[in-house]
Amino acid sequence: MGVLLGCFSIAVHALEESSSHKRLSVHFHQTLAKPIPQLESKLEALLSIASNDEEKAWLIYRWVTHHFKHDARLARQVGDPERHSLEALHRLGGGSCAVYANVTHRLMEMAGLQVKTIYGLVKGGPATAVRHGKAVNHVWNAVNINGVWKVVDSTWGAGFVGQQGFKSEHSDLFFLLSPERAVLSHYDQADELGYQRALAVNQTLFSKLPENALYAAAVGLDPKSILDAARRSSNFSLVLTFDLPPNALRVVSAPANGVLERRVQRFVIDSSLFEELMVVQGKSWVPLKKEGKVHSVSLVPKLGELLVMGRRPKQLEFEALLGYDVK
């Protein structure tokens, strides 16, 4: 178990733009550089700067994603992480998703947080095991922050497995996933958090969602629009999205299905990063009307590829934001 999404490398940092995140990040690296032999003492030192449960959870998440690596050989050596002390797992420094989730759970409990370990299915691979009658291919956590349970996936947040093996690439995309985003990538048959019931997501709908659904939501597509489009279509193909900075745009209105019909389509995008947006088809460039930060246009697309492209201030070139195939 422990599927990592090697084909979609993206770093979305939930707190990165804030002074709070910078303060935590500096403290994190300073603490790990200190020779503190006892794990409990290191955790205490690490959390000494935290002012709330979210900051505690992030520091622990960052520690696990920084220290551990996904390693099949170590996973076989470890087996069930419950059989090992936290110190032993930390010393080994790697293993499967079960190790990531187990260590995250133990550390968060030591920090006084309410935490769960969840066995279920994630996008990116078939079921590889059965646990308590449930199909499983991954293990992750959920932590209660201010009375709300949110998903934390330390395995995916640590990096991905590519052709050259594990590549460490820290991402906050998988830290405190909201219910709407979590159901795009993580499915728990027991529905311990109640996310699937609340959003009417069953295993059939989950299986229709493409692997990059969570990434599309991360760059601005409304998660509910993705779910609705998947429900309506028997052969759902998600709009193509591209690597963009965090909070680069918010899709107010645009088709979630990547295949468009030749009828009126409306695009409304909220972005302060891009000065000018265009719908591009071949040699045809149609500008979106700009009002404040909101760019909008309604048009009937032509057969072929359609791209929504944006230009940043003081830049000459446009970059792709959304991609469609018009039938």
Side-chain angles (χ1 to χ4, degrees):
M1 293 184 291
V3 180
L4 284 92
L5 302 183
C7 49
F8 301 103
S9 170
I10 184 171
V12 179
H13 302 282
L15 306 170
E16 188 162 325
E17 298 305 315
S18 69
S19 58
S20 172
H21 177 273
K22 292 174 183 175
R23 175 178 60 88
L24 292 175
S25 188
V26 168
H27 173 76
F28 168 80
H29 289 290
Q30 289 176 342
T31 302
L32 260 62
K34 295 176 182 177
I36 307 173
Q38 295 297 322
L39 201 66
E40 193 168 341
S41 299
K42 184 170 285 191
L43 177 63
E44 186 178 342
L46 190 66
L47 300 183
S48 63
I49 198 174
S51 59
N52 53 49
D53 285 350
E54 181 174 343
E55 291 186 352
K56 287 181 183 178
W58 184 85
L59 286 163
I60 290 169
Y61 171 83
R62 185 67 182 94
W63 187 10
V64 176
T65 58
H66 172 84
H67 181 77
F68 287 82
K69 64 179 181 178
H70 198 276
D71 187 309
R73 181 188 59 80
L74 276 176
R76 290 190 293 270
Q77 180 181 337
V78 170
D80 182 0
E82 287 287 349
R83 298 189 297 108
H84 302 271
S85 69
L86 188 56
E87 289 77 9
L89 292 174
H90 186 266
R91 191 164 53 251
L92 287 168
S96 68
C97 56
V99 170
Y100 280 92
N102 182 272
V103 172
T104 300
H105 190 128
R106 292 195 205 184
L107 290 173
M108 286 189 175
E109 267 196 343
M110 290 169 65
L113 301 173
Q114 280 187 283
V115 59
K116 296 176 183 283
T117 294
I118 299 175
Y119 292 79
L121 294 171
V122 288
K123 306 304 295 185
T128 54
V130 175
R131 180 182 172 89
H132 302 316
K134 298 192 305 176
V136 172
N137 68 1
H138 194 52
V139 191
W140 63 92
N141 301 103
V143 62
N144 192 314
I145 303 294
N146 299 325
V148 179
W149 287 98
K150 293 190 177 182
V151 163
V152 171
D153 193 330
S154 303
T155 310
W156 283 8
F160 61 92
V161 177
Q163 293 182 344
Q164 305 301 317
F166 176 73
K167 181 180 178 182
S168 176
E169 188 170 292
H170 175 253
S171 171
D172 276 357
L173 174 57
F174 313 104
F175 176 68
L176 300 189
L177 281 172
S178 66
E180 293 80 8
R181 289 191 179 185
V183 297
L184 298 178
S185 56
H186 293 66
Y187 186 84
D188 167 27
Q189 285 184 349
D191 198 15
E192 287 191 53
L193 306 179
Y195 288 177
Q196 281 103 237
R197 288 188 299 277
L199 294 162
V201 176
N202 57 25
Q203 197 161 344
T204 300
L205 178 59
F206 183 75
S207 66
K208 288 174 65 177
L209 295 171
E211 292 181 19
N212 62 333
L214 176 59
Y215 294 87
V219 299
L221 211 67
D222 179 15
K224 291 184 178 179
S225 72
I226 297 174
L227 292 173
D228 289 342
R231 287 189 185 97
R232 290 193 300 267
S233 175
S234 58
N235 188 24
F236 179 55
S237 173
L238 185 63
V239 56
L240 183 63
T241 55
F242 302 85
D243 281 355
L244 293 169
N247 306 313
L249 56 89
R250 181 174 66 90
V251 178
V252 179
S253 176
N257 200 319
V259 179
L260 298 182
E261 297 177 359
R262 280 173 281 173
R263 57 181 177 80
V264 175
Q265 305 288 349
R266 182 157 177 78
F267 300 90
V268 182
I269 296 173
D270 184 336
S271 177
S272 56
L273 178 64
F274 294 100
E275 183 173 75
E276 186 178 12
L277 267 65
M278 294 274 184
V279 172
V280 181
Q281 285 200 279
K283 294 182 180 180
S284 171
W285 289 63
V286 179
L288 277 71
K289 182 181 178 181
K290 183 179 180 182
E291 295 183 4
K293 299 187 299 178
V294 178
H295 308 250
S296 62
V297 70
S298 296
L299 52 78
V300 178
K302 297 180 291 185
L303 187 68
E305 182 185 49
L306 181 151
L307 292 173
V308 178
M309 303 187 73
R311 182 180 63 79
R312 305 186 196 200
K314 299 180 182 180
Q315 298 291 321
L316 296 176
E317 296 184 353
F318 282 76
E319 55 192 284
L321 310 181
L322 302 173
Y324 297 90
D325 185 19
V326 184
K327 297 294 187 183

